[in-house]
Amino acid sequence: MNNLKFYLIDKDKIELIKPLWVELNRYHQAKSIYFEEDFSRNTFENRIRKLNRAESLLRIEVVEDITKEELVAYSISSITSKKIGEIDSIYVKKEYRRMNLGDRLMKGALRWLAEEKVDSKKIAVAYGNEEVWKFYVKYGFKPRITILED
């Protein structure tokens, strides 16, 4: 664990997380029963444009394996002008799971949302990835609504 370094990056360095984001998107694509095609068309650049367009405050935290000089985990959190906080994206490479990296990323994001005094917090979970609910429930999140699309 001494080889892992947690730190924040500025929005203009968000390209650094692209390989991890692509892995997460592929994971969602494989899990998706109905919208696999949407995930295959989803690009990192489009996602970043949406985050930038929303004019939200952003917090980007990364975890680097300093021995490999490689990012192995990240989280992106945002706060809208209406004071709604969201854990937009969180990912830990498979070989680094079960090391509490996700826990540390979540706690950092939630601490930031509390410091910024958001009115509400949310996380969107892609259908097919419900097993991650157990992780989020530990932090007080509960399923509230399911939106069906065609």
Side-chain angles (χ1 to χ4, degrees):
M1 200 66 154
N2 291 338
N3 60 320
L4 299 177
K5 178 181 173 185
F6 287 73
Y7 57 95
L8 298 174
I9 61 171
D10 292 328
K11 190 163 62 168
D12 64 335
K13 302 267 192 235
I14 200 164
E15 274 295 315
L16 294 172
I17 69 162
K18 183 176 180 176
L20 295 173
W21 185 92
V22 168
E23 284 183 33
L24 177 59
N25 193 57
R26 284 190 187 130
Y27 174 81
H28 284 136
Q29 183 181 357
K31 289 282 195 178
S32 181
I33 298 169
Y34 304 114
F35 297 100
E36 179 183 347
E37 188 70 25
D38 289 352
F39 287 107
S40 69
R41 285 192 309 263
N42 197 13
T43 67
F44 179 75
E45 291 73 21
N46 286 342
R47 181 65 184 127
I48 299 315
R49 264 195 296 280
K50 286 178 189 173
L51 283 172
N52 287 332
R53 228 185 357 246
E55 295 182 19
S56 302
L57 292 176
L58 284 183
R59 179 184 186 276
I60 308 162
E61 186 171 13
V62 296
V63 183
E64 180 182 1
D65 183 329
I66 56 176
T67 58
K68 295 181 178 180
E69 297 182 346
E70 172 187 18
L71 295 185
V72 298
Y74 78 92
S75 71
I76 300 176
S77 306
S78 63
I79 302 173
T80 69
S81 59
K82 294 181 181 179
K83 299 298 277 185
I84 298 169
E86 182 169 2
I87 310 295
D88 291 272
S89 185
I90 186 167
Y91 182 71
V92 177
K93 284 182 81 110
K94 191 171 188 170
E95 57 270 29
Y96 291 87
R97 294 181 190 156
R98 307 268 183 242
M99 299 173 74
N100 293 321
L101 304 184
D103 177 65
R104 287 186 58 185
L105 290 169
M106 277 297 292
K107 285 178 178 173
L110 293 172
R111 192 170 33 257
W112 178 67
L113 295 177
E115 289 167 2
E116 295 293 328
K117 297 178 177 39
V118 297
D119 294 330
S120 65
K121 297 176 288 228
K122 66 179 182 173
I123 298 172
V125 176
Y127 182 78
N129 194 26
E130 292 80 2
E131 70 235 25
V132 78
W133 285 6
K134 292 180 283 187
F135 175 75
Y136 293 128
V137 165
K138 293 188 304 188
Y139 304 96
F141 291 91
K142 298 166 211 64
R144 181 177 178 119
I145 190 170
T146 300
I147 298 171
L148 303 179
E149 293 185 23
D150 69 357

